[in-house]
Amino acid sequence: MEVKEREAYQAVIGLEFHAHIATRTKMFCGCRVSYGDPPNTHTCPVCLGHPGALPVANERAVELGVMAGLAMGCEVAPRAVFARKNYFYPDLPKGYQISQYEEPICTGGHIDVPTSSGTVRVRIRRLHLEEDTAKNVHVGTSGRMHGSTASLIDFNRSGTPLMEIVTEPDIPSAEAARETALRLRDILRAVGASEADMEKGQLRCEANVSIRNPDGSLGTRTELKNINSFRFMERAIERELRRQREIVASGGTVRQTTIHYDPEDDEVYETRSKEYAEDYRYFPEPDLLPLQLSEEWVEGLRARLPELPEAMRARFIEQYGLSEEAAGVLTAERELAAYYEEVASQVDPRQAANWISGDLRALLNESGLSISECKILPGHMAELIGLVQSGDLSRSAAKEVLERSFETGERPQEIVEREGLGTVGGDELSGIVERVISSNPEEARRVREGDRKVVGFLIGQVMRETRGNADGGKVREILMEKLGS
Amino acid sequence: MLELSAFELAGKIASGEVSAREAAEAASERVEAAEPEVHAMITPTPELALERAGRVDERRARGEELAPWEGVPIAVKDVLSTRGVRTTCGSRILENFEPVYEATALARLGEPVVVGKANMDEFAMGSSTENSAFGPTRNPWDLSRVPGGSSGGSAAAVAAGEGWWALGTDTGGSVRQPAALCGIVGLKPTYGRVSRYGLIAFASSLDQIGPMTRDVRDAALLLSAIAGHDPRDSTSASAEVPDYLAELDRGVEGLRVGIISEMMGEGIEPGVREVVERAARSLEEAGAEVGEAHLPHQEYALAAYYIIAPAEVSSNLARFDGVRYGMRVEAEGVHEMFRRTRGRGFGDEAKRRIMLGTYALSSGYYEAYYAQAQKVRTRIIEDFRAAFSRFDVLLSPTSPTVAFGLGEKVEDPLAMYAQDICSIPANLAGIPAISVPGGLSEGLPVGVQLMGNHFAEATLLRAARTVEEASGFRFEMRP
C-alpha cells in the first residue's frame, strides 16, 4: 500500500538555500563578519540603517558569488541589479533588504546528485546576492516571540553577505533533496564561497514540497521552513510528503501554507496561511549602481576555480583505487582531501585512505577539531602508516601512537622509540616463544599431539610477554615451527 | 562685515584681517536678531559655531594654511547629518535624533562653522517650508510670504544674513526654487557630483546637495569645497573636479544658449517671463548665441516625478519605525508600536507621499505607474541630450511665480506641486542647474534658471555670472 501510494503521488521538490558568503566584512559596509562575538560589537551607521548612510557593495562577495555560480555551470549576467525588498520587521533596520530580483547575478546551471536510484540532475534557477537581517532574541519565555516580555536585537549579523540559490522543482525524493544539499555544501566549500555549516546557520534551507497527482496534475505546494540540519531535512520532507499524500488520498486538498517541522515528535505544523502573497514592492536600489561584470573578469574567475568535488571524487577513485564511499568522505572537505593526497603520495593510497577516513576522522570528530587544526602533519601520518606496513608496528600499537601524536603533535617514530612500542621480532621473539613453551609444558604437549585449540592460548601468552607488540601471524609461525607441527 | 560675500570674508579671515571668531559672533548675533521674524532655523548652534571658529583661528595662528572657504559661517539644512547635533529633517519622528556621524559634504569643509540647522519641509517634501513640524519659515523679503521649499530655511537664512552661505538639497528644485524666491543663488550640481553620504534620503535617485549663496562666485567656491568622489557613496562620480573659481570670469562669448519654449508659456507669471527674457538679451549682448530650445516631453515630467519620488520615499522612510532611534510611541506588540510611532511621527505630506509611493510600487500597479514613469524619465533624458547637441546652456524661469503668501497653497497639493514644473526635469535627467537672481517682479526677486549638460557646472557658473552682472541685482541683507 505504502509503495503504491508513493508511485501514485510522485514528490516534486524545489529547494531554496541561503548561504553566508565567506567574506571578512559585511555586504555593504566595512564591519567585520563574526559569529559568537558579544552583541552589537560590529556595527556602523550603514548596517544599523541610520538615516543618510549609504551601502557600498563588497567586491569580494560578488567574486565569491560568481565563483559559486560558475562552479555549478551558471550563466553570469553581464549586468546585475540590486533591488530593494520592502517589508517591516524589527530586525530589518532599513525597512527593506537589499537583494536582487529581476536581474540576478547568475542564472541556469545544475548540480548532478547521486542517489540510491540513480543520478538526478537538479537545475539551478538563479543565484543572487543579498544581505542578512539582524537577529532577534526574545527574552522572558522559551525564546519564541509569542509570550516573551522583551525582544533584543543583535545587529552583528545585519548586513552579512548572503547568496540565495534557488533550484528548479527537479527533486524527486526526500533523499535526493538531502543529497542535493550535501553536494551544494561541498561545492560552496570547494570554491571557498561559504563554510556552509548548517549547524552554525551558515547554510539555511527551505523546501517547496508538493506531490504530483495520479492524473499528472501538480498539487499545491507548501513551504517547509527552518530546516537546520541535513538529517532533519530528509525526515522533514519525508514527513511533509506523507502528510500531503494522506490528505489527497482521503479526498482532501492541500492548503498553501508555511510548514514547520518539529524533530522532537517528528511532526509537521502549519505556521501561517499563505493565501495572501506578501507584496515586497521590489524596485531597483537607487543607492547602488548596477554591477557591470565583464567577460574578461568572469573568465579570470573561472580560471581560478579549483577542482570541484565531483571531479575530485572521480579522480580519487581512478587514481588511488578508492571506494566510492571513501572517495566521498575524503573529498567532502577541501583540506581533508589535500591532507590525504599528501599522505597518499608517500605510502599506499588505500592504507592512507583507511587511516584518514577511519581512525583520524574519528579523532577529529571526537575532539571537534578540523583537519587544519590537526597536530599530526601529513608527513607524520605517512610515517606511522609506513611503520605498520613494514611490520615494525602492530596495528593496535599504531592506534595508540596515533592518539598520542594527535594530542601532542610528536613524531610517531619518537613515540615508538621512547615507549618501546615497536614490534618485537627476530631472536628476541624466538626467545620469548621458547620461554612460553617451557613454562607451559602441558599446553605445549597437547599442541604437539595435534590439539589446535590450545595454540591460541600460547599465542596469547607470547603477546602478553611482548605487551602486544608482536605480529600475531609471526608468533604463530615461530610457535608452530618450534612445536614441530 | 555682514555685507561682504563669503569669498571676500574668507579672504579677510585668511589674511587675518577678520578672525573666524568675529565672523561667527556676528552671524550668531544676526541669527538672534532675525530669528523671531524669519524662523529660518530649527536648531541654532551658536556655541558650536564659536567653538569651531576658535579652532580655525588657532590653526591659522599656528601657521597652518586654511582652505579658501574655511571659517565662513554656514547654515545647514536639517537633512544633513551632523555628529552630535540633532538632525530632525523637519519631522517629529526625528525630533531628538542626534546622528553619530557627519555628512561627507560637511566633513569636506574641514571645520565647518555651522550657525544652525536650517528649517525645511518635512523630509524635504514641499515647496514652501510650510510642511515643517517646527513651523514655517518666512520670506525675508516679505514676511507674509513663503521662502519656497524645501530648503526654505537655508534660503531665508542666507537672505537674512544669518550665515554667509548655506547648504540645501534639491530633489525636484528644492535648492533652486527657494533661492529664486529669496533672491539668492542656488546651484543643483550634477547627480553624483557631491556625495550624498549623510544626506537623509528623500528620493535617492534624484537628491543632490547644493550651495545656496549670496552670489555666483560664492556658489563656485562652495561647490569646489564639497564636490568630488566619496568611496562611501557608490553613486558619486569619480570625474575630476575642475577649478570653478578660475573659470568664472571667462564670459559667454560664443556660448550657445537655448530658451526652453515649453517653460515660457502658460502658467508662467508675465513678470517672471520678462525677467528671463531680459536675462537672455543680456547673454546675447555678452556674446552668446541665443535660440529656441525644445523639451517635447516636458509636460509629462511632473507626473513622472510624482510617481518616482514618492515610490522612493515610501521605501526610504520605512526605517523610521521607532525601533532604534528617534521617536517611539509605546504600544502592545511591535506592529502596533510601528503603526502608532509612524502615525504620530509623520506629517500629512509625508504620509500622502508614502501612500502614493506604496501604491505605485505595489504588485499589479508597478508596471502601470513606476515602470511607466521610468520610461518617461528616459524620454526626458533623451530630450535633454537632443537639446544639448544644439546648445551649451538652456534657459528658463526657476519658478513660475514669485514668492506666494503663507497658507495660500496649503490646501491644494497639486498647485503646490506645480511650483516645481521648471525645476523637476533637471533632477530627472541628473543634469546641473543653477538659479540666479535676474531682477524683481512686483518688488519680489525672480530666479533665472540655467541648465547644462552633465558635469558642465563651470559653464553654468560662467553664464550665471554674466546674468548676475547684467541684472544689476546685488545682494542686500533683509529684512
Side-chain angles (χ1 to χ4, degrees):
Chain A
M1 180 63 193
E2 175 75 356
V3 172
K4 258 170 75 185
E5 269 185 12
R6 272 169 182 264
E7 281 167 0
Y9 302 116
Q10 177 66 50
V12 179
I13 303 163
L15 297 175
E16 282 179 36
F17 295 94
H18 282 96
H20 276 171
I21 303 176
T23 51
R24 211 170 50 77
T25 56
K26 292 185 181 180
M27 187 68 218
F28 298 113
C29 65
C31 287
R32 231 176 66 210
V33 170
S34 72
Y35 304 99
D37 281 0
N40 297 310
T41 50
H42 302 294
T43 64
C44 73
V46 176
C47 58
L48 288 172
H50 275 201
L54 296 172
V56 177
N58 183 334
E59 197 182 329
R60 181 71 183 144
V62 176
E63 259 181 35
L64 291 174
V66 167
M67 285 181 83
L70 289 173
M72 295 184 286
C74 295
E75 292 268 332
V76 178
R79 177 180 188 273
V81 174
F82 285 105
R84 289 189 186 177
K85 181 180 180 178
N86 293 282
Y87 63 101
F88 283 98
Y89 212 66
D91 64 8
L92 190 70
K94 298 186 292 294
Y96 56 83
Q97 181 185 29
I98 304 177
S99 181
Q100 295 183 321
Y101 185 55
E102 280 178 337
E103 299 181 64
I105 197 162
C106 295
T107 50
H110 63 267
I111 309 175
D112 284 327
V113 180
T115 71
S116 54
S117 44
T119 297
V120 176
R121 172 158 287 198
V122 179
R123 289 169 299 156
I124 303 296
R125 182 179 294 169
R126 59 187 282 151
L127 179 154
H128 73 244
L129 305 175
E130 59 183 36
E131 55 177 341
D132 207 346
T133 61
K135 201 161 104 186
N136 281 329
V137 183
H138 304 294
V139 294
T141 53
S142 59
R144 300 286 293 271
M145 185 154 84
H146 184 74
S148 63
T149 53
S151 295
L152 309 174
I153 311 176
D154 179 5
F155 287 92
N156 281 357
R157 199 181 70 179
S158 174
T160 298
L162 291 181
M163 56 189 143
E164 182 174 326
I165 300 158
V166 184
T167 78
E168 297 290 348
D170 289 346
I171 303 165
S173 69
E175 181 214 356
R178 177 175 173 273
E179 287 302 313
T180 304
L182 284 166
R183 293 290 86 76
L184 178 77
R185 180 198 64 182
D186 293 350
I187 291 169
L188 295 181
R189 284 184 177 174
V191 299
S194 175
E195 289 171 39
D197 191 327
M198 261 201 170
E199 274 72 21
K200 287 185 190 159
Q202 293 161 338
L203 183 66
R204 305 197 290 262
C205 181
E206 290 170 23
N208 290 311
V209 179
S210 59
I211 51 173
R212 197 175 290 286
N213 297 314
D215 65 4
S217 67
L218 198 60
T220 309
R221 72 188 165 94
T222 59
E223 220 172 292
L224 199 52
K225 295 250 186 198
N226 308 319
I227 299 171
N228 51 20
S229 86
F230 294 105
R231 203 154 50 89
F232 290 152
M233 181 170 186
E234 188 170 358
R235 278 171 54 191
I237 294 174
E238 199 59 72
R239 184 66 194 82
E240 171 57 10
L241 284 169
R242 197 166 87 220
R243 190 186 72 96
Q244 291 191 10
R245 284 175 185 132
E246 280 164 7
I247 290 174
V248 174
S250 63
T253 46
V254 175
R255 291 202 308 144
Q256 191 178 340
T257 54
T258 301
I259 299 286
H260 180 80
Y261 174 70
D262 188 344
E264 290 284 313
D265 55 4
D266 189 32
E267 194 51 85
V268 286
Y269 299 97
E270 294 188 5
T271 52
R272 73 183 143 138
S273 172
K274 281 272 275 193
E275 280 163 35
Y276 304 99
E278 283 177 77
D279 187 350
Y280 291 118
R281 293 176 288 119
Y282 283 100
F283 73 102
E285 164 61 278
D287 287 333
L288 289 166
L289 301 175
L291 294 172
Q292 307 281 356
L293 307 176
S294 73
E295 212 178 303
E296 202 185 345
W297 182 81
V298 173
E299 289 316 308
L301 290 183
R302 199 193 298 279
R304 274 166 49 196
L305 279 183
E307 185 181 23
L308 296 171
E310 203 46 52
M312 193 187 274
R313 191 164 24 243
R315 179 168 65 82
F316 274 29
I317 294 168
E318 165 77 24
Q319 183 178 341
Y320 300 119
L322 304 186
S323 68
E324 284 265 359
E325 199 197 339
V329 167
L330 291 171
T331 54
E333 266 179 74
R334 197 113 214 107
E335 289 81 8
L336 191 68
Y339 187 98
Y340 167 75
E341 292 212 82
E342 207 176 325
V343 177
S345 70
Q346 299 170 49
V347 293
D348 175 56
R350 265 181 287 198
Q351 285 300 319
N354 286 342
W355 278 95
I356 293 168
S357 68
D359 298 282
L360 182 62
R361 236 173 100 256
L363 287 172
L364 289 169
N365 287 346
E366 243 170 68
S367 61
L369 295 177
S370 70
I371 188 70
S372 51
E373 294 163 315
C374 177
K375 285 185 183 163
I376 308 179
L377 302 175
H380 295 174
M381 192 71 210
E383 186 180 280
L384 182 69
I385 297 167
L387 288 171
V388 178
Q389 269 184 275
S390 65
D392 291 335
L393 195 61
S394 71
R395 203 161 191 310
S396 61
K399 280 195 178 190
E400 206 180 317
V401 173
L402 180 71
E403 277 169 38
R404 299 250 178 128
S405 179
F406 186 81
E407 263 160 42
T408 61
E410 252 182 304
R411 270 190 63 181
Q413 185 71 58
E414 277 167 19
I415 298 171
V416 169
E417 277 165 18
R418 194 184 60 236
E419 306 282 325
L421 291 169
T423 309
V424 179
D427 291 346
E428 198 187 346
L429 188 59
S430 257
I432 292 171
V433 172
E434 268 168 30
R435 267 209 313 280
V436 166
I437 290 172
S438 53
S439 50
N440 295 284
E442 177 55 23
E443 284 76 9
R445 183 186 58 80
R446 282 168 61 189
V447 173
R448 281 200 191 90
E449 283 167 5
D451 186 351
R452 295 271 163 163
K453 280 181 286 184
V454 200
V455 178
F457 170 78
L458 292 175
I459 293 174
Q461 293 301 305
V462 176
M463 292 309 269
R464 208 173 70 184
E465 291 285 310
T466 63
R467 301 206 322 273
N469 295 326
D471 188 86
K474 193 85 190 162
V475 172
R476 173 183 288 270
E477 197 180 295
I478 298 171
L479 199 67
M480 297 314 267
E481 192 188 291
K482 293 208 187 282
L483 292 175
S485 63
Chain B
M1 178 167 49
L2 283 172
E3 298 289 339
L4 297 171
S5 74
F7 178 81
E8 290 162 342
L9 178 65
K12 288 187 190 297
I13 291 171
S15 71
E17 200 179 317
V18 173
S19 72
R21 202 179 161 85
E22 283 167 327
E25 273 165 2
S28 293
E29 276 166 27
R30 184 62 195 151
V31 169
E32 215 167 299
E35 270 305 279
E37 287 182 300
V38 177
H39 187 45
M41 306 285 188
I42 292 173
T43 313
T45 53
E47 288 92 5
L48 180 72
L50 283 181
E51 183 198 316
R52 297 251 177 99
R55 280 211 289 272
V56 171
D57 288 333
E58 274 167 32
R59 281 173 43 215
R60 193 187 164 275
R62 279 204 303 270
E64 249 179 74
E65 200 176 325
L66 300 179
W69 48 78
E70 274 190 281
V72 180
I74 191 166
V76 176
K77 188 176 181 179
D78 209 22
V79 69
L80 293 175
S81 194
T82 41
R83 186 202 292 268
V85 178
R86 81 164 176 163
T87 300
T88 70
C89 274
S91 182
R92 284 281 163 230
I93 212 161
L94 287 178
E95 197 168 12
N96 299 310
F97 173 62
E98 283 186 10
V100 297
Y101 73 100
E102 192 94 340
T104 298
L106 269 174
R108 291 230 160 139
L109 293 174
E111 204 82 68
V113 181
V114 177
V115 292
K117 299 299 291 290
N119 200 11
M120 58 184 284
D121 285 301
E122 185 178 9
F123 286 104
M125 292 181 254
S127 305
S128 68
T129 312
E130 289 167 290
N131 293 332
S132 168
F134 301 90
T137 295
R138 291 164 184 276
N139 192 320
W141 283 73
D142 175 347
L143 295 173
S144 71
R145 293 177 188 261
V146 302
S150 63
S151 310
S154 297
V158 175
E162 296 182 43
W164 269 260
W165 51 18
L167 286 178
T169 63
D170 190 316
T171 307
S174 286
V175 157
R176 291 161 284 158
Q177 183 255 14
L181 269 45
C182 291
I184 63 166
V185 173
L187 168 61
K188 181 200 96 71
T190 307
Y191 185 79
R193 178 83 288 184
V194 178
S195 167
R196 291 184 295 115
Y197 193 79
L199 158 58
I200 300 175
F202 161 12
S204 313
S205 75
L206 303 161
D207 293 344
Q208 189 58 202
I209 299 169
M212 302 179 78
T213 57
R214 297 180 172 195
D215 62 23
V216 174
R217 183 183 299 277
D218 284 0
L221 179 60
L222 191 47
L223 181 63
S224 316
I226 63 175
H229 178 68
D230 175 12
R232 289 175 189 270
D233 175 1
S234 37
T235 65
S236 81
S238 41
E240 204 188 317
V241 181
D243 185 344
Y244 297 114
L245 277 177
E247 302 244 340
L248 203 57
D249 292 316
R250 272 181 48 204
V252 293
E253 186 75 50
L255 207 69
R256 299 165 301 166
V257 176
I259 305 173
I260 304 167
S261 305
E262 291 83 359
M263 293 185 188
M264 290 296 274
E266 210 188 324
I268 309 294
E269 283 179 358
V272 170
R273 198 180 302 139
E274 263 170 48
V275 170
V276 177
E277 280 163 357
R278 204 159 63 229
R281 278 197 302 279
S282 62
L283 285 165
E284 202 162 25
E285 280 158 20
E289 296 166 30
V290 176
E292 199 176 291
H294 290 283
L295 298 177
H297 296 91
Q298 151 71 15
E299 60 177 308
Y300 306 110
L302 197 66
Y305 175 85
Y306 276 98
I307 295 295
I308 294 168
E312 294 186 19
V313 162
S314 71
S315 175
N316 282 331
L317 298 198
R319 70 186 66 201
F320 305 105
D321 55 11
V323 173
R324 296 164 308 281
Y325 46 76
M327 193 180 96
R328 174 189 291 183
V329 181
E330 294 292 349
E332 188 72 25
V334 70
H335 280 99
E336 192 57 24
M337 187 277 281
F338 283 173
R339 208 170 358 244
R340 291 205 193 161
T341 299
R342 294 168 66 78
R344 199 173 303 170
F346 289 131
D348 289 345
E349 187 60 27
K351 285 178 188 165
R352 186 179 295 128
R353 296 203 197 182
I354 290 170
M355 293 308 293
L356 269 172
T358 303
Y359 184 78
L361 285 177
S362 58
S363 72
Y365 298 99
Y366 181 90
E367 286 297 324
Y369 292 103
Y370 184 80
Q372 186 68 16
Q374 290 292 12
K375 283 180 199 157
V376 172
R377 186 176 188 172
T378 303
R379 288 296 174 81
I380 285 166
I381 293 169
E382 285 163 1
D383 279 1
F384 275 115
R385 195 171 293 148
F388 287 123
S389 71
R390 293 183 52 216
F391 299 102
D392 301 302
V393 168
L394 300 175
L395 185 68
S396 77
T398 306
S399 161
T401 68
V402 293
F404 48 92
L406 279 156
E408 203 179 291
K409 295 183 201 281
V410 168
E411 299 303 321
D412 187 354
L414 291 182
M416 192 75 93
Y417 294 172
Q419 270 292 309
D420 301 332
I421 198 149
C422 299
S423 53
I424 277 172
N427 298 87
L428 289 173
I431 57 169
I434 190 168
S435 177
V436 58
L440 300 179
S441 167
E442 303 162 38
L444 291 166
V446 172
V448 172
Q449 176 172 241
L450 297 156
M451 292 183 269
N453 218 333
H454 291 102
F455 301 107
E457 283 86 354
T459 310
L460 281 189
L461 288 161
R462 274 162 57 201
R465 182 85 169 139
T466 304
V467 171
E468 181 181 58
E469 280 178 342
S471 72
F473 187 96
R474 291 288 171 271
F475 176 79
E476 224 177 283
M477 207 167 72
R478 289 165 190 271

